[in-house]
Amino acid sequence: TAARSGELSPCTTCGRSFAQDALLRHEPICKKVFNKKRKPFNSLKQRLQGTEIPTVKRQTLQKVLLTLKLIEVWKKSNWRQHHEDIINAIQSAKQVTKALKEGRPLPPPPPPSINPDYIQCPHCSRRFNEAAAGRHMKFCEEQAVLRAFAAKTT
């Protein structure tokens, strides 16, 4: 009935209009709610809760680059080389399909392009990027020792 007669008063905190008796109950609750700052919800923390996975803090890009000592040696993009490799691969594939249709012998495959950023493994001569090369070389060295030991025993 108070809403119909126009006796509504606005709340000083949120601005909503209430009847006088409801406003007396609303204002202390509204002040208490709006004065609290909500913490941002961390879904990662909740997902990891109860598991054995440690929480890992993300490092900024600059810290990562400092730890990898790559700031001084910022690598240039070699998109042009990639583009030329793709074009050469497409052209050689067209030559192969044309030779198959005409019944001619297949042309020799194009030489593999070597990425200058990759590191060659001394054990198997395969090439890897820096992160993978470190992991692979340890593994490959152990395998080479095992193969050598197996060859000696047989």
Side-chain angles (χ1 to χ4, degrees):
T1 59
R4 290 185 192 147
S5 64
E7 299 174 12
L8 300 178
S9 302
C11 172
T12 56
T13 308
C14 66
R16 291 171 56 197
S17 297
F18 294 93
Q20 193 61 36
D21 59 336
L23 184 63
L24 293 175
R25 285 179 289 158
H26 169 80
E27 275 191 329
I29 297 169
C30 190
K31 285 179 184 175
K32 187 168 78 171
V33 167
F34 277 99
N35 285 337
K36 289 183 182 177
K37 293 272 185 176
R38 289 183 68 175
K39 293 184 205 173
F41 180 70
N42 187 353
S43 63
L44 176 67
K45 183 178 177 183
Q46 185 170 357
R47 280 196 320 267
L48 297 179
Q49 192 174 27
T51 64
E52 297 175 5
I53 302 171
T55 306
V56 178
K57 292 184 179 180
R58 293 184 179 175
Q59 295 178 337
T60 62
L61 179 61
Q62 188 175 11
K63 286 182 182 178
V64 171
L65 290 176
L66 282 173
T67 57
L68 296 176
K69 298 178 184 175
L70 293 178
I71 288 181
E72 306 89 31
V73 190
W74 189 260
K75 295 181 180 176
K76 290 185 177 180
S77 172
N78 52 358
W79 65 268
R80 186 168 283 129
Q81 180 65 38
H82 288 294
H83 180 71
E84 290 172 2
D85 292 343
I86 291 170
I87 290 173
N88 290 337
I90 292 171
Q91 288 175 349
S92 64
K94 285 181 182 180
Q95 290 174 355
V96 168
T97 54
K98 186 177 178 183
L100 287 174
K101 284 182 183 178
E102 296 175 358
R104 292 186 290 126
L106 296 178
S113 62
I114 296 173
N115 190 338
D117 298 336
Y118 284 4
I119 300 168
Q120 187 171 5
C121 175
H123 306 288
C124 64
S125 301
R126 292 170 57 198
R127 297 180 158 271
F128 299 93
N129 68 13
E130 293 163 3
R135 293 190 310 263
H136 170 80
M137 285 183 194
K138 290 177 188 173
F139 172 78
C140 198
E141 183 179 12
E142 292 172 4
Q143 294 300 313
V145 169
L146 289 175
R147 280 193 297 264
F149 180 73
K152 285 181 182 179
T153 58
T154 57

